Amino acid sequence: MGYFDAASSAPLHPVARQALLASFDEGWADPARLYREGRRARMLLDAAREAAAEAVGCRADELVFTSSGSRAVHTGVAGALAGRRRVGRHLIVSAVEHSSVLHSAEAHEADGGSVTQVAVDRGGAVDPAAYGDALRADTALACLQSANHEVGTEQPVGAVAEVCREAGVPLLVDAAQSLGWGPVDGGWSLLTASAHKWGGPSGVGLLVVRKGVRFAAQGPVDERESGRAAGFENIPAIVAAAASLRAVRAEAAEEAVRLRELTDRIRARVPRLVTDAEVVGDPVRRLPGVVTFSCLYVDGEALLHELDREGFSVSSGSSCTSSTLTPSHVLRAMGVLSEGNVRVSLPPGVAEEEVERFLAVLPGTVAAVREKLGAPVSETVVREADVLVVDSLGKRCPIPVIELAKVIGDVPVGGLVRVLSDDEAARLDIPAWCEMRNQEYVGEEPTEKGTAYVIRRMS
C-alpha cells in the first residue's frame, strides 16, 4: 500500500519498535527514586537525553522531553515570552507556521500581547529582511519553522537567526519536519520537535532552551524535566524516540538523495500527466520527500477518496477537505491554487514502484473527479451591461472556478466576467486561476450576498 503521508506521521522505525519493547522491562520505574529500579530508569532517561542532544546539537541539560511536539511549542513560546516580559510583549511569527505556533500566538494576543505575521513569497519562504523590519524595541520572541509541513519549503533559519541575534531577540525554531534529516544550523535560541515525524512513537516532543535564554515556565510545575514538562516521563517512548532519531540520521544522507529523485520525478511529471495542475513550494530549497500540487476543477476531498480507493494515502490543504471550508493558511499565504490540492510526503524506504504506480493512477482519478463536477452551468450566467455575471452563490470549491473557465471564452478580449461566490476559497483560487490562464484579476467587490470577483479576459 502507498502510504504517502509521512509529513503527518512517519511509520514507526524498526529501531524504535525494538527500543520500545526492550525498555518496557527496564524503564517502568520512577527515575526520581534512588532504589535499583529507579536508577535503571534514570540511566535509560539520561542516555536518551544525551543521544537526542547530540542529534540536535545542544547540551543535554538544555533539552527536555514533553508529551508532544505541540506541547513543546506551547511551552516554549509561553515560557520565552514570560521570561522576557520586561522587554515587551511583541511576538513575530511567519504566516505559514504550524497551527501550534499560530495557536500560541492567538493566545498571546488574547492575553494582551501583540503579534506580527511575516509574509512569504509564492514559494512559501520568508525574506530574512522582513523579520528585520518586523523587529521592534518591545519584541520578546520570534518564531520560524525550519521547513514547511505542507509544501516542504525550507526556511532561511540561519539568516533570520542572525538578524534576531543582532537585535538581541531569541528565535524559536519549530524543527518538527526537518530534524530527522539533520541538525538545524544557525544561532537559534529555542527549538522544538516531535518524535512521530521521524519514525519515533507518538507522544514524545523535544524542547531545547539554550543556556542564557530568559525562560519562565508557565502553569503548575514540578521537579521533573527541569520544571518545564510536568508529569511522569514515558521512558520507553522517550528511549524509542532517541534511538530512532539516531537511526534515521545514520540513514539520512543516502535516503535524502533517493527521495529527492522520486519527488523530482513527481514534480516534473504531474504537470505533463494532468492538465491544469500547478506544483507549489520552492523547487530547490525543500525537504527531500515532500511534493505538493493542486489541480484546477477538482474537489479535494473527492480526489483524496479516489486515491484512497486506489491504495494511496495522501493529504490535502484544499478547503473541501476541512471542516471550516477555508483553504489551508499556508496555501492562502503563498497565494497559490488550493483546489484539488494534494501533498505527497514519502516515507523513508518507499519503493520506486509505488511512486510509478501513483503517477500511473493519478491522471485517471483526476479525470474521474472532474467528470463528476462537469455539470452544465448555462442557467447561472447572465449579462449585466457589458459584463458577464456568473452566479456561484451557495456552491463550493471548485465549482466557481469551473463556471468561470466555461464562460471566459464567451466575452471578447478586454471584456469582464464577475463571479459571485460566498465560498472563502474563491478568494484564493480565482486569482490563482487567472495567473495560470494569463487572464487579469481585476479585484473583488462586496455584494449583498458573498463577493463579486472581477476578471478581465486578456487572451
Side-chain angles (χ1 to χ4, degrees), residues 1-6 304 307-308 311-315 343-345:
M1 297 291 285
Y3 179 75
F4 288 0
D5 196 23
L304 263 59
L307 289 170
D308 185 38
F312 293 101
S313 303
V314 298
S315 63
R343 180 188 69 183
V344 172
S345 47

Side-chain angles (χ1 to χ4, degrees), residues 330-341:
V330 172
L331 300 179
R332 186 167 62 244
M334 293 167 60
V336 298
L337 184 69
S338 76
E339 66 184 55
N341 177 260

Side-chain angles (χ1 to χ4, degrees), residues 67-89:
S67 58
S68 69
S70 291
R71 174 50 59 192
V73 167
H74 296 162
T75 301
V77 172
L81 288 171
R84 286 175 48 83
R85 189 166 183 137
R86 289 186 179 180
V87 173
R89 304 202 64 203

Side-chain angles (χ1 to χ4, degrees), residues 337-356:
L337 184 69
S338 76
E339 66 184 55
N341 177 260
V342 174
R343 180 188 69 183
V344 172
S345 47
L346 304 176
V350 64
E352 178 183 358
E353 293 75 17
E354 281 297 281
V355 173
E356 285 295 330

Side-chain angles (χ1 to χ4, degrees), residues 6-8 123 145-155 157 174-184 197 252 255-264 266-267 280-292 343-346:
S8 291
Q145 58 191 193
S146 56
N148 186 258
H149 49 292
E150 290 194 25
V151 299
T153 297
E154 294 179 329
Q155 299 290 358
V157 172
D174 171 17
Q177 291 295 334
S178 72
L179 192 60
W181 297 108
V184 178
K197 300 291 187 179
E255 189 63 12
V257 172
R258 196 179 73 88
L259 291 187
R260 198 172 294 279
E261 190 281 324
L262 293 176
T263 52
D264 283 344
I266 296 172
R267 289 181 65 89
V280 301
D282 193 288
V284 178
R285 290 182 53 85
R286 58 185 176 83
L287 293 171
V290 178
V291 57
T292 304
R343 180 188 69 183
V344 172
S345 47
L346 304 176

